[in-house]
Amino acid sequence: MKTGKDTTMAERISAHRTLPASPQAIFDVLADPDGHVAIDSSGMLQGASGAPVARVGDAFVVHMDREALGDVPLGTYDVRVVITRIRAPEHIEWTIEGTVKPPIGHVYGYELAPHPDGTTVTSYCDWSGAAEEWKPIFPVIDEKALRASLGLLERAVRRGYPTPAARSLRANSDGRRDQQ
């Protein structure tokens, strides 16, 4: 019997929020590895190593702690964030490369659109390109977590993140940083 209810699960989730900041100020946080740590609402991102990204193929390392979610006992590990789409200051998207080979195939991203009150930011996770055997694990984080990250993004931008001190540390460390 057909209920009229769609039983297929969407393979993309998103959340949006208008932030009182310019697209470029927001994009600067999103292109910075430490910015990703600053706006993570899941608690999994513990630190990052690498330089800000500017083009497709640029990458940086994120030091993870999956125990923060309490779902899979992976402990701490590193992943490589690889930029798959970038158009400053309007769009940035990346995939994750880690211990799973080949990579799972999902992407995260942000779309930024000018708004009279600042910038409307849409955060998304899309697993439509993921290998079929991995699709049942999605979404790893839900829409509430995406919305929470947008709140953290606003806080980071208001605080002037990334700070000049963080930029100086990165420049002086030649892109290397202690794992945190």
Side-chain angles (χ1 to χ4, degrees):
M1 176 163 112
K2 195 161 180 111
T3 63
K5 186 176 180 181
D6 184 7
T7 57
T8 60
M9 182 172 178
E11 294 182 338
R12 178 184 168 118
I13 58 170
S14 63
H16 67 273
R17 178 174 175 153
T18 299
L19 306 184
S22 72
Q24 189 63 55
I26 295 166
F27 189 86
D28 287 348
V29 174
L30 299 173
D32 186 271
D34 289 324
H36 284 248
V37 178
I39 67 171
D40 168 44
S41 67
S42 73
M44 288 191 296
L45 282 65
Q46 300 297 303
S49 301
V53 297
R55 63 191 59 80
V56 170
D58 282 357
F60 56 89
V61 173
V62 175
H63 314 297
M64 305 288 291
D65 178 8
R66 186 61 179 252
E67 299 300 313
L69 290 184
D71 62 344
V72 180
L74 294 176
T76 58
Y77 57 99
D78 288 347
V79 297
R80 192 166 172 257
V81 170
V82 181
I83 302 302
T84 55
R85 293 178 65 193
I86 192 166
R87 187 175 58 253
E90 301 163 358
H91 190 199
I92 185 168
E93 180 185 272
W94 62 93
T95 192
I96 307 296
E97 294 179 356
T99 58
V100 175
K101 304 291 184 216
I104 293 171
H106 61 302
V107 294
Y108 291 95
Y110 287 86
E111 297 168 335
L112 294 83
H115 184 277
D117 296 327
T119 304
T120 299
V121 181
T122 301
S123 174
Y124 64 88
C125 175
D126 186 323
W127 58 95
S128 60
E132 288 301 319
E133 66 265 24
W134 291 106
K135 287 186 178 184
I137 72 167
F138 287 98
V140 173
I141 58 171
D142 61 16
E143 289 176 45
K144 287 182 192 177
L146 295 180
R147 278 194 299 280
S149 288
L150 292 171
L152 294 170
L153 176 59
E154 181 174 342
R155 179 178 72 187
V157 171
R158 284 181 186 258
R159 289 182 166 181
Y161 192 89
T163 65
R167 286 188 201 109
S168 175
L169 173 65
R170 183 177 300 105
N172 292 335
S173 68
D174 196 22
R176 292 184 304 271
R177 203 168 289 131
D178 292 333
Q179 288 192 15
Q180 300 173 10

